[in-house]
Amino acid sequence: MEIFTKKGDQLLTSPEAEPSQRMQRRQFLRYAGAGTAAVGLLAAEACKKDRNSYTGVYLGSGDIGILNYAYALEQLEAAFYIQVVGNTNFKTIFPSTSEQNLFTDIRDHEVAHREFFKAALGTSAIPALQVNFTSIDFTTRAGVLAASKSFEDLGVSAYNGAGYLIQNPDYLTFAGKIVSVEARHAAYIRDLIAPNSFVGSDVVDIASTGKEMERTPAQVLAIAGTYITTKINADDLPTS
């Protein structure tokens, strides 16, 4: 069974091949430490704009928009790691069993993140996005690690930059739990590239604040747009 199918020069994830399809919604809620009542609050929030009036996939406004923004990024990360682990050369590139297991764990984490947002958003969720990873070298260890580092750093900076925009404290709790996992991934990948580099002095202001880098949604989507071929409309995302 193929993990990816081709459409033109785009790589599309195959839902039938992904491990997430075997998961149940209750597992996602348990993963995030959320009860059905908390997630049910999403149903009470409706997008105030007519989606049909926008070009591209409309993320929405308010908390719904921010959660769809996070969902888009988790789709991207999940698709990347599915391709990494599904690569026929995966065990050659990463001959260590411990590395194979850890990359498989990261894939499963990202799939769980993606499916949690999808389940929580319900009918407000954006559709599956098309991605194109042809610019990434999946045939070498250096190529995979470089791309992985970029995705993890992007994900952490995205959560850091959007967290303060979330109004519902339950959603903020979800985001905090997920970004902490993303930060663990980033540290692990950095250590594979260069031992003891997990602190990431290029993204953490060690000298003064000791805080991690943050990026605005506009900055993040501009970078992610290198790989997400589906047009995304983020016009109504909150900015303050």
Side-chain angles (χ1 to χ4, degrees), residues 82-100:
I82 287 170
Q83 184 156 342
V84 168
V85 177
N87 189 337
T88 55
N89 295 320
F90 175 56
K91 292 185 178 180
T92 300
I93 297 171
F94 297 100
S96 166
T97 300
S98 64
E99 290 182 359
Q100 293 170 19

Side-chain angles (χ1 to χ4, degrees), residues 1-236:
M1 183 179 295
E2 293 183 352
I3 292 180
F4 279 77
T5 57
K6 278 189 175 289
K7 181 179 181 182
D9 64 346
Q10 296 178 335
L11 292 172
L12 309 180
T13 56
S14 171
E16 296 78 16
E18 298 174 11
S20 63
Q21 298 304 310
R22 298 190 295 271
M23 300 180 183
Q24 299 297 318
R25 174 174 176 167
R26 63 177 179 273
Q27 291 176 292
F28 306 138
L29 306 185
R30 186 181 306 118
Y31 162 81
T36 54
V39 176
L41 294 173
L42 280 167
E45 290 191 34
C47 295
K48 298 180 180 179
K49 303 274 187 168
D50 178 5
R51 295 186 184 194
N52 294 325
S53 66
Y54 291 86
T55 300
V57 171
Y58 177 57
L59 296 182
S61 59
D63 283 358
I64 290 292
I66 293 298
L67 294 184
N68 265 322
Y69 164 61
Y71 177 38
L73 296 177
E74 296 299 349
Q75 286 191 49
L76 176 63
E77 288 190 284
F80 169 71
Y81 284 107
I82 287 170
Q83 184 156 342
V84 168
V85 177
N87 189 337
T88 55
N89 295 320
F90 175 56
K91 292 185 178 180
T92 300
I93 297 171
F94 297 100
S96 166
T97 300
S98 64
E99 290 182 359
Q100 293 170 19
N101 291 339
L102 283 165
F103 267 100
T104 301
D105 283 345
I106 293 176
R107 177 202 64 188
D108 292 345
H109 294 166
E110 301 298 0
V111 168
H113 292 169
R114 182 196 66 192
E115 292 302 303
F116 168 74
F117 280 114
K118 180 180 179 180
L121 281 158
T123 58
S124 294
I126 60 174
L129 303 175
Q130 295 182 351
V131 297
N132 185 332
F133 294 135
T134 54
S135 63
I136 296 175
D137 182 4
F138 285 94
T139 66
T140 65
R141 179 185 178 88
V144 171
L145 290 178
S148 182
K149 174 179 176 293
S150 295
F151 283 128
E152 296 299 344
D153 286 348
L154 181 65
V156 174
S157 68
Y159 279 99
N160 288 342
Y164 80 101
L165 299 172
I166 299 175
Q167 299 299 309
N168 188 305
D170 291 316
Y171 307 160
L172 185 58
T173 298
F174 303 157
K177 290 184 177 183
I178 291 176
V179 72
S180 63
V181 175
E182 300 288 357
R184 290 175 187 268
H185 295 170
Y188 172 66
I189 296 301
R190 284 173 174 278
D191 230 36
L192 286 183
I193 294 173
N196 301 318
S197 65
F198 64 93
V199 173
S201 58
D202 57 327
V203 293
V204 178
D205 185 358
I206 300 174
S208 56
T209 65
K211 294 180 180 179
E212 181 86 14
M213 172 190 288
E214 62 184 56
R215 290 187 175 97
T216 66
Q219 292 172 326
V220 170
L221 291 174
I223 297 171
T226 302
Y227 310 101
I228 299 176
T229 59
T230 304
K231 182 176 176 56
I232 294 177
N233 189 306
D235 287 353
D236 288 336

